[in-house]
Amino acid sequence: MSATPAESAQQEQAAYRDLLGTELEDFLAVQHSVLAEVSLEALPLLDAVHNLARGGKRLRALLAYWGWRGAGGTPLHPEAVRAGVALELFQSAALIHDDIIDRSDTRRGGPSVHRTFSMAHADANWHLDGFHFGSSAGILAGDLCLSLSEEMFSAVGPRAAHGTEARRIFNRMRTEVMAGQYLDILEEVVGPGHDPEHAVVRALNILRYKAAKYTTEHPLTLGGALAGAGEEILAGYSRFSLPLGEAFQLRDDVLGVFGDPRTTGKPAGDDLREGKRTVLIAYALSSGSESARKEITARLGDPGLDDDGVALLRGIIVDTGALAATEELISRHTETAFSALAALPLDGVPRAALDALAHSAVRRSS
């Protein structure tokens, strides 16, 4: 009996992940030789990149691959593999820098990159400020990761060259993420002085440009563009993937406050200690009483926020209807995404793969 489209997609995806892992390891092995020629003492920078890049769910790379396949790209083609590696390296760079900005000591259940360097400083009893050393080394590791991402994307070849649609998407993705990240940190320091009634609008804009577009829309359209997709297919990809990305990030924000540390790999309520002004918080500010707003403003971003403080803010988020509003928004975006997916002119295997990825993106606990 022949395999179903879902079974075929699963098998092909597993093969792609294997090729992606091999390409990443081979590429980083070459970079190891480059850094070793400079100095063996520089290798921890690459080790940090390596340790982070070989983990994760590979959502961006997989979306790029199925965008490629849905537009008629050859199965398991090296160009699609290299594009996926480039996206994974960009994601790793974003995570490294994001953890520094958020002062987050953990990532995927272990120490974050800058924290790893700070710990190395302490263990070796080096001179000067260990925290500053860790942050500085983390910034450099993230910058190295960005450079490697560009090098790998260039290795895709003519389809990724200057002037192509794929190159335009890749460049725009990187610019938008940096702008969105800046708006995020700006909101943290200016946000308390803003009109709380407009907090949701600002938070949604940050969510879209800092996370949603580069998580789903840009990878999917990038893969399609590399395979030669026309404007109609790329527009259909966007109609599906942008609401999917927004639902994905909204779910991430809920988990950042209410998630189980055993599955998220982050301490309970860590987003509250980091002061993230997410859509969840924006809804609480816009809907809450004056006293609720004062409690949020006073406690949000306190690195010493204890379990009782986390529980208090969680209670405000629930009582103001912010959690329910966010869940309802996730549902609306999810429905929009799946309706757009149904309208895409895809063969059975790419459709089954995108359907599975979409379900795993919006119905997750970590």
Side-chain angles (χ1 to χ4, degrees):
M1 186 169 61
S2 61
T4 66
E7 291 168 340
S8 296
Q10 191 173 34
Q11 293 166 5
E12 187 175 331
Q13 187 162 290
Y16 175 75
R17 290 181 70 108
D18 288 343
L19 290 171
L20 187 83
T22 299
E23 184 76 23
L24 176 66
E25 292 297 324
D26 291 347
F27 177 64
L28 293 182
V30 172
Q31 305 308 317
H32 187 280
S33 298
V34 173
L35 263 70
E37 287 183 15
V38 175
S39 171
L40 295 178
E41 291 183 317
L43 289 177
L45 281 176
L46 188 65
D47 291 342
V49 171
H50 189 186
N51 290 336
L52 191 59
R54 65 185 174 189
K57 299 179 178 67
R58 306 293 195 214
L59 175 62
R60 293 157 187 83
L62 292 172
L63 283 169
Y65 178 68
W66 291 114
W68 161 277
R69 286 281 284 110
T74 304
L76 307 178
H77 196 283
E79 291 179 3
V81 175
R82 290 175 192 141
V85 173
L87 286 168
E88 288 300 307
L89 288 169
F90 179 74
Q91 161 69 350
S92 295
L95 293 179
I96 293 170
H97 285 156
D98 201 44
D99 284 340
I100 295 170
I101 291 169
D102 292 340
R103 304 185 199 89
S104 180
D105 287 340
T106 59
R107 171 62 62 182
R108 293 173 182 162
S112 53
V113 167
H114 69 282
R115 178 60 178 155
T116 298
F117 282 111
S118 294
M119 291 164 59
H121 182 285
D123 291 343
N125 197 28
W126 288 334
H127 296 286
L128 302 179
D129 184 355
F131 178 82
H132 179 72
F133 170 76
S135 296
S136 300
I139 290 169
L140 292 172
D143 288 349
L144 174 62
C145 208
L146 280 173
S147 176
L148 297 179
S149 173
E150 169 60 32
E151 184 174 339
M152 178 53 74
F153 191 67
S154 296
V156 170
R159 295 177 193 252
H162 174 73
T164 63
E165 179 65 8
R167 169 56 69 174
R168 185 195 69 78
I169 294 170
F170 190 70
N171 289 345
R172 187 179 185 91
M173 174 187 72
R174 295 182 295 175
T175 300
E176 286 182 351
V177 169
M178 302 310 166
Q181 184 68 274
Y182 175 73
L183 291 177
D184 190 34
I185 63 172
L186 181 66
E187 183 67 13
E188 290 178 10
V189 296
V190 180
H194 276 151
D195 180 356
E197 277 72 25
H198 294 95
V200 175
V201 174
R202 295 193 304 273
L204 285 170
N205 193 51
I206 292 167
L207 177 142
R208 172 169 288 191
Y209 288 101
K210 178 191 172 185
K213 288 174 77 72
Y214 106 92
T215 297
T216 53
E217 184 189 21
H218 288 318
L220 186 66
T221 56
L222 176 65
L226 285 172
E231 290 183 9
E232 186 175 346
I233 291 294
L234 294 180
Y237 277 179
S238 291
R239 286 192 293 270
F240 157 62
S241 56
L242 182 55
L244 176 68
E246 292 180 341
F248 176 90
Q249 187 57 44
L250 287 165
R251 175 59 61 207
D252 198 60
D253 292 344
V254 171
L255 291 172
V257 175
F258 294 96
D260 185 341
R262 291 172 296 183
T263 56
T264 64
K266 290 273 193 176
D270 218 29
D271 280 7
L272 300 174
R273 297 185 186 91
E274 292 169 7
K276 292 186 178 180
R277 289 185 167 264
T278 62
V279 173
L280 192 66
I281 293 296
Y283 273 132
L285 287 169
S286 63
S287 302
S289 64
E290 187 63 30
S291 61
R293 292 174 182 172
K294 286 181 179 179
E295 286 286 1
I296 293 171
T297 300
R299 296 174 183 271
L300 189 67
D302 177 7
L305 190 69
D306 59 16
D307 290 345
D308 289 341
V310 169
L312 176 64
L313 289 181
R314 283 175 171 170
I316 291 172
I317 290 168
V318 172
D319 293 342
T320 57
L323 178 59
T326 302
E327 290 289 355
E328 202 275 330
L329 189 56
I330 291 172
S331 296
R332 289 208 312 267
H333 282 317
T334 300
E335 182 179 348
T336 299
F338 279 105
S339 294
L341 175 59
L344 282 170
L346 297 173
D347 291 338
V349 172
R351 180 180 299 282
L354 288 174
D355 183 78
L357 284 174
H359 275 94
S360 66
V362 296
R363 296 167 186 167
R364 62 197 175 97
S365 59
S366 63

